[in-house]
Amino acid sequence: MTFQGKPAVSLPSGFLLQLCLALAAGAVGVLAFAPLYFWPLAPVSLWVLFSLWYRSATTWRAFALGFAWGLGLFTAGVSWIYVSLHVYGNMPALLAGVATLLFCAYLALYPALAGALTRTLVVRLGLSATSALLVVMPASFVAFEYLRGWVVSGFPWLSIGYSQTPGGMIPAPLTGYAAITGVYGISWLLAIAVALVVRLTCGAAAPPLPKAQRIAMIALLVLIAAGGSALQQIVWSDPSGKPLSVALLQGNIEQDLKWRDDQRTPTLANYHQLITASQAKLIVLPETALPDLLDRIPGEFLESIRGHARKGGADILLGVPIADQVGGATPHFRYANSAISMGASTPQRYDKQHLVAFGEFVPPLFAWVYRWLQIPLADFNSRAVDSRPMHIAGHRIAINICYEDTFGREIALQLPEAELLVNISNMAWFGASLAPDQHAQMSQMRALESARWMLRATNTGATAAIDEKGVIVRAMPAFTRGTLEVTAQPLTGATPYSRWRDTPVLVCLAISLLSAALLRRRTSPAGR
């Protein structure tokens, strides 16, 4: 995938300099995400990567450039993994640093493989410059981005489409596509737009474009941006009853104190005070807010908060680990990271289904990791449950726990029945890092995809209420104790994404890659 000549916008010619540029571009791309939300840096970062791929002389170089870009992105963007490993997991500092770097290197393999696949297809099929850039490169990039969010339980953090959520001073142009395509569709459209710019600016590095094709490409760029803005005006959901008063509790319990025996009583007293001070119809506590297994929580505490809820005709939703005895002759316990309800409605339970590798379960062959880690309750299990919303506070509410709201296709399983989305999390594991804001940004995307409010109750932040347009309407300062009182509007209706999830985008990606054979260069490349 190499073309002779020089591009209109010059890039370093030495390969080492190109690697450094790719690394820097990936790192700078992190600023496109929360908390800065400066989305223009996402296409700039991609433009550098695509331009370097476009000039790659070998598959190995395309792989290395993608790896450097990914290493920059993930080392700058998710190095907070170190905090959970060393500060709270008690892994030795050097080992935690190496483990974090290896994890970032693993994530960088995905854009690296996308670059290698792109050049391989271009060379073997003899594609034109335009076909290579507009068809193969964007599809390869997003296909591997999707795989990153699926392999080994998935890690979809910093998918490029998340840069288009509301929050920055400059409105993101592609936000409106979320309800139709989901985050990966936005990633694909953004990648196509960047590829168009690369093709328009590559100058003598590729055969010249006829005027008509240049105009068509510019028109397509405008259409992609204008379409996103126009789609933001569509109302995908309708009010379902009156607005609901909700209290989102933020206990601010330090992670290194959370599971200590001498801190259990103060923690319960902390939440008891916050609960009984609220008159909201739905009171939501964070993930594992109760610092012990449910059957070990004092009965008087549970009866007191249950009585408060019933007296006010309210419901409490709280996170707590639960031990279930299973088996016959040789019974044993299965542990679940759960959310339970109590109060005016029938008691209900939801168990976290999508567990976090190394945080909540040990992948096969990796048991040795726990010789270095001291993470409590790291042997959770998931159990088969109906993906149906809870009926509490007079509404159907879809519950998801922590990491689960990073998977749009799984949240959509409870739609369109659910009228509200609720996420309970404990991000204290990652300290004062980018992680809480990045996680809240993914909740914004889930609100956009579903056209529902997303209510987040967390231990230390980011506790927030997000409306159906993906806007954070209220939020609590991080690392503070208190209650975020909000009035949320339950909604009904189905977005295209909630019906079809990622299937249309995956089909389009597959068609793009498979159709590359049909775009094989049969004649002179001039004018293509």
Side-chain angles (χ1 to χ4, degrees):
M1 188 177 57
T2 183
F3 303 95
Q4 299 302 314
K6 296 181 180 179
V9 181
S10 180
L11 292 172
S13 57
F15 184 59
L16 181 58
L17 289 177
Q18 288 183 358
L19 287 174
C20 292
L21 180 60
L23 186 75
V28 168
V30 173
L31 301 178
F33 301 92
L36 188 61
Y37 289 96
F38 191 61
W39 70 264
L41 289 178
V44 169
S45 179
L46 269 190
W47 179 87
V48 172
L49 176 64
F50 285 9
S51 296
L52 291 171
W53 274 349
Y54 182 69
R55 293 160 55 104
S56 297
T58 65
T59 299
W60 159 246
R61 288 197 172 195
F63 177 93
L65 289 165
F67 183 83
W69 183 86
L71 193 63
L73 177 73
F74 296 115
T75 302
V78 300
S79 56
W80 35 261
I81 293 292
Y82 174 86
V83 179
S84 63
L85 294 178
H86 173 59
V87 178
Y88 300 117
N90 294 309
M91 181 180 281
L94 179 59
L95 186 59
V98 171
T100 300
L101 184 60
L102 288 175
F103 178 67
C104 293
Y106 159 73
L107 298 176
L109 288 175
Y110 290 91
L113 291 170
L117 176 63
T118 297
R119 188 182 184 281
T120 298
L121 288 176
V122 168
V123 170
R124 290 195 176 184
L125 299 176
L127 297 181
S128 68
T130 301
S131 299
L133 274 168
L134 304 189
V135 179
V136 176
M137 195 176 292
S140 296
F141 178 83
V142 179
F144 278 96
E145 188 177 76
Y146 182 86
L147 285 174
R148 175 165 60 84
W150 178 76
V151 176
V152 193
S153 88
F155 191 81
W157 231 267
L158 298 183
S159 293
I160 207 72
Y162 286 116
S163 67
Q164 298 298 294
T165 51
M169 296 179 62
I170 306 173
L174 305 186
T175 305
Y177 290 106
I180 298 176
T181 69
V183 67
Y184 292 110
I186 294 178
S187 289
W188 189 35
L189 289 168
L190 185 60
I192 290 173
V194 171
L196 283 166
V197 174
V198 173
R199 183 64 182 98
L200 288 166
T201 59
C202 64
L209 284 169
K211 183 177 180 180
Q213 287 192 22
R214 294 182 65 85
I215 292 174
M217 288 183 183
I218 293 171
L220 181 56
L221 267 174
V222 173
L223 181 62
I224 290 173
S229 298
L231 288 170
Q232 291 184 51
Q233 310 309 313
I234 296 179
V235 176
W236 295 104
S237 53
D238 300 306
S240 177
K242 297 180 180 179
L244 177 67
S245 61
V246 182
L248 304 173
L249 275 52
Q250 184 169 292
N252 195 34
I253 309 299
E254 294 181 33
Q255 188 60 40
D256 55 355
L257 301 178
K258 184 176 176 69
W259 300 105
R260 281 174 39 175
D261 290 340
D262 62 341
Q263 293 298 310
R264 186 175 71 161
T265 298
T267 297
L268 293 177
N270 179 12
Y271 280 114
H272 187 275
Q273 193 279 326
L274 292 173
I275 292 169
T276 56
S278 175
Q279 301 302 315
K281 292 302 180 183
L282 177 62
I283 302 171
V284 186
L285 280 68
E287 175 189 20
T288 59
L290 304 190
D292 209 335
L293 295 171
L294 180 60
D295 59 0
R296 297 179 185 173
I297 300 298
E300 57 270 23
F301 170 84
L302 297 174
E303 282 303 317
S304 178
I305 62 173
R306 185 183 292 113
H308 171 77
R310 287 175 175 170
K311 182 179 178 181
D315 283 298
I316 298 171
L317 179 68
L318 56 87
V320 59
I322 297 177
D324 295 306
Q325 184 171 316
V326 294
T330 56
H332 62 282
F333 288 97
R334 292 173 62 89
Y335 299 94
N337 186 353
S338 303
I340 62 171
S341 70
M342 58 179 61
S345 302
T346 303
Q348 293 157 76
R349 169 180 169 181
Y350 170 79
D351 290 349
K352 186 177 182 182
Q353 298 299 294
H354 200 129
L355 302 178
V356 180
F358 300 107
E360 293 172 319
F361 78 98
V362 185
L365 307 179
F366 283 94
W368 58 271
V369 171
Y370 282 92
R371 283 183 289 177
W372 301 99
L373 285 176
Q374 299 176 31
I375 297 179
L377 297 174
D379 53 352
F380 280 127
N381 301 106
S382 61
R383 66 186 180 102
V385 296
D386 275 340
S387 295
R388 294 185 178 182
M390 283 189 181
H391 289 256
I392 52 177
H395 293 280
R396 298 181 298 274
I397 299 177
I399 313 302
N400 53 89
I401 299 177
C402 194
Y403 191 64
E404 290 185 312
D405 74 339
T406 66
F407 301 94
R409 61 185 180 273
E410 296 176 10
I411 299 299
L413 293 174
Q414 300 193 60
L415 296 166
E417 186 179 358
E419 300 166 90
L420 289 169
L421 307 178
V422 170
N423 175 268
I424 60 174
S425 295
N426 175 28
M427 300 300 287
W429 282 104
F430 308 109
S433 68
L434 297 174
D437 291 308
Q438 291 172 349
H439 191 201
Q441 187 175 36
M442 289 186 273
S443 286
Q444 290 178 263
M445 184 60 70
R446 303 293 86 81
L448 285 164
E449 291 169 346
S450 61
R452 297 291 191 275
W453 280 60
M454 169 70 87
L455 306 172
R456 293 173 47 83
T458 70
N459 179 22
T460 55
T463 297
I466 303 166
D467 70 13
E468 75 277 12
K469 293 294 184 180
V471 176
I472 298 178
V473 294
R474 290 199 65 190
M476 276 194 69
F479 302 102
T480 59
R481 173 187 178 273
T483 301
L484 183 67
E485 299 277 355
V486 299
T487 301
Q489 177 61 64
L491 296 163
T492 60
T495 63
Y497 181 79
S498 67
R499 292 186 184 278
W500 302 102
R501 300 188 282 280
D502 295 321
T503 301
V505 171
L506 295 177
V507 169
C508 289
L509 293 176
I511 290 173
S512 295
L513 293 173
L514 292 173
S515 67
L518 302 178
L519 299 173
R520 183 191 304 264
R521 183 185 299 157
R522 293 187 175 90
T523 60
S524 169
R528 293 197 181 190

